[in-house]
Amino acid sequence: MGSPKALLPWHGSTLLRRVVGLVGRVVDGPVVVVRAPDQVLPALPADVEVAEDPVEGRGPLAGLHAGLTALDGRAEAVYLSAVDVPLLHPAFVRRVLGALDGDDGQGPADAVLPEAHGHRHPLAAAYRTAVAARVAALLEQDRLRPAYLLDQLDVRRLDEAALLHDPALRTADPTLASLRNLNGREDYERAHAEPEPAVSVARFGTLRPVGVRAPVEVLASSVARAAAAVGLELDRHVVAAVDGDRISGDPDVPLAGGETVSFLSAEAGG
Amino acid sequence: MTPGGYFGRALVVDLGTGTAEALPLPDDVLRATIGGAGLGSWLLDRLAPAGVDPLDAAAPLAFVFSPLVGTPLTTSAKLAVVALSPLTGLPSDALASSHFAIAGKGTGHDAIVVHGRCAAPSVLVVEGDEVRLEPAGDTWGRGAADTEEELRARLGRAYRVAAIGPAGERLVRYATISTDGRHAGRGGLGAVLGAKLLKAVAVRPVTKVRPADPDGVLRAAADLRTRSLGPATAKYRELGTLANLLAFNALSTLPTRNFQASSHPQAADLAAEDLGPERRVARASCAACTIGCAHFYAASGGGKVRVEYESVFALGPLCGVTDPDAVLTASRRCDALGLDTISTGGTIAFAMECVEQGLLDEPWLRFGDAAALHRAVELTAAREGVGALLAEGSRRMAAVVGGDSIRFAAQVKGLELPGYEPRTLQAMALGLAVNARGADHNRSGAYEADFAGGHDRLHGGAAHVAAAVTSEDRAAAMDSLILCKFLRGVFQDPFPEWAALLSTVTGWEVDGDELATTARRIVVAKRRLNARFGATAADDWLPARFLDEGLTVASGREARLPAERLRAMIDAYYAARGLGADGAPTAATLAELGLPPVAV
Ligand code: SF4
């Protein structure tokens, strides 16, 4: 790739910043980035935690182990994501995590494994934190492939049809681009050249031009890009909310297709 | 020597005898309490007999000024009205901006306190140290604005007047005291004056305030004026507080149908973004204010009506009403009758849900029915029919209505909730639960941290507790100095900046740390005073609805506030404030802050 994946630029932001924002939007608990020895990370939100992966090159189970260790006692389940998935949609994360709790009537499981586009996706999957001991045991035995872990677990497998059974995901990401990872420079360049996601921009209060009642649609992969698209200057007096939920003054907050970003005065209240 | 900005004394008027005496306010008391809400707490502690009922003749009520009043510092022309609240039974302070603050201080006093009861409906006239009672005459029964006008016509334009409306006369437990069209609104202090048969207080200035460093004050005022016209106040200047409504709706923080929902599908009908350009006929400022957040819309049937988010939310979506004319008419009637719009809307919305649940036999009182809303407002002020019940506020009403209605009476300590949904603003949830005067957005602005996005607003924890503590401390300082909260965004480093203003006016050398400690002392002093008047840890809690029922925000995420989470936040708040498990300050905390024991 020529530069570490985490640092790859993505429309004014970076791949890692984008992915932590998209995952963080769905989960209630902390977001942990697992850093390889000496790995340089891009700027990340203050509440993102960084866990060290002590040994280079031991693969995803070692990363999962470092993350689970950092989360010890603070979460019941995790969504595990690779860094090279800029087209990840929060609806995908929601679908996978939801299946772990059996919210589609299938009963709870130890892990949820998407199987789509001809592959299993253990790096776009959900795990109960209780699996940590088994991960540790496998690492001890030098059995480093995720399949060894999955073989030991009660795994709920979601194929394309099962994934898209969720109407929210079907609308947000009908081709399951969430699972498209970038394996080489070409993949990256092709994905980066595609149009940015279509999002709605709503403005409130003095930020809304007189008479503009409906949100406007723009192509923008982050809050900063959306603001620029409608000619809005971001400063400490403006905050943005995504889908009427998370609020932030950070211009690098990522956006995904179909989301609505609302700009409002930081001077709340009265 | 008395510090700059003060006279070092309060005027204490016995309404039973029509006589007055001066109460000295020593330098150390002023420095420890500043003025406004802080000094008001001290006065109440000193003058209120133990166990006195808020509507008893012996209960004192204080109009408290501050060192900044009378200076050219923008937004400083404010006063705090401090008394025991007929709604909560606990100490309460209600702030208002007006020329009354400047003129009242110009009588040569840092506070004017009344106690006792007039023999007949009266007006108290204060000129310097001279006081006299005059018959209220035909102002009794009339609105506060009319009364103010008539008294100034009768006494002279140099007089400034604070008055109650018919609701205060009839002891509605959330009646206001009004001056210059602004209201000391929350907690029902208008009923305290009503119980004293005191229609109004008229003051005439006889002296001027002298700051320690007049040139320094002028320089600070010029600087503050410039900053007050920057982006931090744009929202207030351009649209007013109603600008909150549409954004709050999008963020699921707009209380709707007695907090059964947190957004209303027709909220856009009440948007300031559209109504402002279409209907605004005037914009005005309080006395000595450069911001001017008061926006007036043309009212149906002629005239104009002042528009505020809190009034529109409470008389609008909270009651299921979104027709702007209907909501503005209700708001205008509340102002004329002297009713706190938040508690009026909150109590009517509660009654509407009681009807919906079959607990109250008033079938006409339905959510979304504008005519019913208007009828309920009039009945409340007149205490007629179901109005006699409504006039008691939602907590007392729930005790009468029975069933499980208390679980959805949206109040804390008896004070109805303002327009901030606690489940989707969980720092604010804590602020509402623990604040000394009850559910309130002016003494705790913790919602600011929720809206800033530094923490997950749907998941209360340590960051939310820290935000609630900081917010209360800042509010205590602003309410005692006094400066308008809408100015808060212009201060980057508030305590040192406020301390510099205070030093320039008083001549004290106050730094940011001292002022921060003073603010903390004021908050703790209120908790101490609450304990003296019977508040316990059980009063720091939210109604069951907020803990048992979840909400779904627009993203699809669930907002829940389980009781254990609220408990954990309150425990952490107690620890941060130095309060014991009973909610009262510990002996060590009182000693550290130089406050007396709870029972004196
Ligand atoms: S900002 Fe508004 S409320 Fe504050 S002093 Fe000015 S006009 Fe009054």
Side-chain angles (χ1 to χ4, degrees):
Chain A
M1 285 272 211
S3 96
K5 282 184 180 177
L7 295 171
L8 282 176
W10 196 262
H11 303 290
S13 182
T14 61
L15 275 197
L16 181 58
R17 170 69 188 89
R18 178 167 180 79
V19 171
V20 298
L22 295 170
V23 174
R25 186 167 305 161
V26 178
V27 298
D28 277 335
V31 176
V32 177
V33 167
V34 178
R35 168 164 58 186
D38 300 326
Q39 186 185 2
V40 176
L41 299 180
L44 295 172
D47 59 349
V48 169
E49 299 175 20
V50 176
E52 306 293 339
D53 186 0
V55 188
E56 175 105 57
R58 296 200 82 206
L61 281 193
L64 178 60
H65 183 255
L68 291 175
T69 305
L71 285 170
D72 188 31
R74 292 189 292 155
E76 285 175 12
V78 297
Y79 179 86
L80 180 66
S81 179
V83 67
D84 58 348
V85 284
L87 306 181
L88 176 65
H89 198 289
F92 182 87
V93 181
R94 205 170 284 123
R95 168 73 181 113
V96 172
L97 276 174
L100 197 64
D101 288 330
D103 69 358
D104 49 1
Q106 301 287 316
D110 294 332
V112 175
L113 179 68
E115 293 185 345
H117 303 157
H119 298 282
R120 295 161 148 202
H121 296 273
L123 289 180
Y127 301 88
R128 297 224 171 263
T129 47
V131 306
R134 294 186 197 219
V135 179
L138 288 168
L139 290 171
E140 189 81 3
Q141 299 157 21
D142 242 358
R143 302 175 72 202
L144 303 181
R145 289 175 47 211
Y148 293 134
L149 174 66
L150 294 166
D151 285 348
Q152 299 183 14
L153 303 180
D154 171 15
V155 177
R156 168 117 164 81
R157 293 164 198 275
L158 295 179
D159 62 14
E160 287 168 29
L163 284 164
L164 295 173
H165 189 67
D166 171 27
L169 181 57
R170 198 160 61 235
T171 307
D173 185 12
T175 65
L176 297 177
S178 291
L179 292 168
R180 209 172 118 191
N181 48 1
L182 314 179
N183 287 321
R185 188 88 212 170
E186 238 174 63
D187 282 356
Y188 165 72
E189 275 166 7
R190 198 176 314 122
H192 193 255
E194 287 171 18
E196 292 177 62
V199 300
S200 295
V201 177
R203 284 161 287 178
F204 292 96
T206 54
L207 305 177
R208 198 179 92 174
V210 173
V212 178
R213 291 183 188 210
V216 296
E217 193 146 300
V218 302
L219 301 179
S221 60
S222 68
V223 162
R225 305 278 293 173
V230 296
L232 190 70
E233 213 169 295
L234 292 180
D235 59 24
R236 74 181 180 94
H237 300 289
V238 179
V239 291
V242 178
D243 278 352
D245 185 348
R246 313 263 184 181
I247 304 172
S248 174
D250 180 353
D252 288 335
V253 167
L255 297 175
E259 290 185 322
T260 297
V261 58
S262 300
F263 290 106
L264 50 140
S265 164
E267 273 69 44
Chain B
M1 202 181 84
T2 308
Y6 291 105
F7 293 102
R9 56 193 199 145
L11 185 71
V12 181
V13 182
D14 182 341
L15 298 171
T17 60
T19 57
E21 59 184 38
L23 172 68
L25 301 173
D27 195 345
D28 60 333
V29 167
L30 296 173
R31 188 150 176 169
T33 62
I34 308 179
L39 179 57
S41 265
W42 184 87
L43 285 166
L44 201 58
D45 189 34
R46 172 86 191 246
L47 298 172
V52 69
D53 185 274
L55 297 178
D56 193 279
L61 178 143
F63 297 91
V64 192
F65 314 115
S66 82
L68 270 48
V69 171
T71 69
L73 293 164
T74 187
T75 80
S76 65
K78 289 191 178 264
L79 77 159
V81 185
V82 184
L84 291 170
S85 159
L87 201 51
T88 68
L90 296 172
S92 192
D93 45 42
L95 270 62
S97 318
S98 83
H99 292 96
F100 182 88
I102 301 172
K105 187 166 164 184
T107 64
H109 301 98
D110 299 314
I112 297 172
V113 187
V114 294
H115 65 96
R117 178 179 285 134
C118 306
S122 303
V123 173
L124 172 67
V125 182
V126 182
E127 301 174 19
D129 292 341
E130 301 295 314
V131 302
R132 66 178 188 274
L133 289 168
E134 293 190 358
D138 68 357
T139 62
W140 196 255
R142 290 170 62 184
D146 277 3
T147 301
E148 191 173 336
E149 224 8 77
E150 165 145 348
L151 289 177
R152 290 188 71 208
R154 192 203 303 171
L155 295 166
R157 304 305 291 177
Y159 286 81
R160 295 290 178 170
V161 174
I164 60 171
E169 296 169 13
R170 295 192 185 110
L171 311 187
V172 176
R173 288 184 186 272
Y174 41 91
T176 57
I177 299 171
S178 306
T179 164
D180 281 359
R182 287 294 198 180
H183 313 286
R186 303 234 62 200
L189 305 190
V192 177
L193 289 192
K196 297 182 180 312
L197 297 178
L198 190 62
K199 177 68 182 177
V201 179
V203 290
R204 186 170 72 83
V206 295
T207 180
K208 273 211 157 58
V209 69
R210 283 180 192 78
D213 175 4
D215 292 340
V217 170
L218 283 179
R219 278 194 302 277
D223 170 55
L224 209 52
R225 178 184 191 286
T226 309
R227 288 153 71 191
S228 76
L229 300 173
T233 60
K235 168 179 138 182
Y236 303 113
R237 283 179 283 120
E238 293 173 31
L239 290 172
T241 57
L242 187 58
N244 288 342
L245 192 134
L246 199 56
F248 281 22
N249 191 56
L251 299 173
S252 301
T253 65
L254 176 68
T256 297
R257 294 168 56 96
N258 196 37
F259 291 85
Q260 294 184 73
S262 55
S263 61
H264 193 293
Q266 267 87 50
D269 294 350
L270 293 168
E273 290 89 335
D274 298 321
L275 293 178
E278 284 165 18
R279 296 188 177 218
R280 184 173 44 235
V281 288
R283 182 164 78 91
S285 287
C286 296
C289 170
T290 46
I291 298 172
C293 73
H295 292 247
F296 291 85
Y297 291 178
S300 60
K304 60 185 195 261
V305 53
R306 205 185 72 234
V307 182
E308 298 284 358
Y309 165 69
E310 288 296 337
S311 303
V312 173
F313 118 79
L315 299 163
L318 195 65
C319 294
V321 177
T322 54
D323 170 31
D325 285 319
V327 176
L328 295 179
T329 297
S331 177
R332 185 157 70 149
R333 287 301 294 153
C334 285
D335 285 355
L337 295 164
L339 289 167
D340 170 25
T341 50
I342 300 176
S343 283
T344 303
T347 306
I348 293 173
F350 167 70
M352 286 171 164
E353 188 166 350
C354 288
V355 172
E356 201 173 70
Q357 304 270 339
L359 294 167
L360 183 65
D361 188 21
E362 300 286 344
W364 55 274
L365 194 53
R366 293 277 171 195
F367 281 115
D369 186 331
L373 169 69
H374 295 158
R375 185 174 161 199
V377 167
E378 301 297 333
L379 290 175
T380 300
R383 276 190 174 269
E384 280 173 11
V386 73
L389 208 46
L390 291 166
E392 294 291 294
S394 58
R395 185 172 67 175
R396 280 183 176 77
M397 190 171 168
V400 175
V401 167
D404 67 346
S405 61
I406 191 66
R407 65 175 298 284
F408 58 84
Q411 50 73 39
V412 175
K413 303 179 177 74
L415 190 69
E416 283 71 24
L417 260 75
Y420 299 83
E421 167 54 56
R423 286 161 289 189
T424 55
L425 297 167
Q426 296 198 359
M428 189 58 184
L430 174 63
L432 293 168
V434 297
N435 194 266
R437 85 162 175 172
D440 179 73
H441 63 294
N442 281 318
R443 305 295 168 269
S444 176
Y447 59 79
E448 248 188 322
D450 287 316
F451 284 121
H455 58 237
D456 182 353
R457 64 191 171 99
L458 306 191
H459 229 88
H464 305 65
V465 176
V469 170
T470 302
S471 166
E472 275 190 344
D473 284 350
R474 289 186 179 181
M478 293 198 96
D479 291 344
S480 302
L481 281 166
I482 304 172
L483 288 171
C484 182
K485 303 271 168 41
F486 298 163
L487 196 62
R488 65 189 184 275
V490 313
F491 299 103
Q492 302 259 15
D493 195 3
F495 282 109
E497 291 184 54
W498 296 336
L501 293 176
L502 185 60
S503 299
T504 311
V505 172
T506 59
W508 294 327
E509 284 178 20
V510 181
D511 62 16
D513 288 345
E514 180 185 332
L515 187 59
T517 302
T518 306
R520 192 157 69 85
R521 178 185 305 111
I522 291 167
V523 174
V524 170
K526 289 189 192 186
R527 299 283 316 190
R528 175 190 163 275
L529 200 52
N530 264 23
R532 216 196 112 194
F533 283 96
T536 68
D539 293 301
D540 294 329
W541 199 239
L542 290 176
R545 153 157 291 158
F546 300 113
L547 309 174
D548 299 346
E549 298 173 19
L551 292 166
T552 305
V553 304
S555 68
R557 208 154 60 107
E558 277 267 299
R560 288 198 166 272
L561 177 56
E564 317 80 71
R565 188 184 300 163
L566 180 62
R567 184 71 264 154
M569 286 201 288
I570 291 174
D571 289 347
Y573 170 89
Y574 281 10
R577 280 262 174 252
L579 310 177
D582 58 355
T586 62
T589 303
L590 292 171
E592 183 207 336
L593 294 169
L595 292 166
V598 171
V600 283

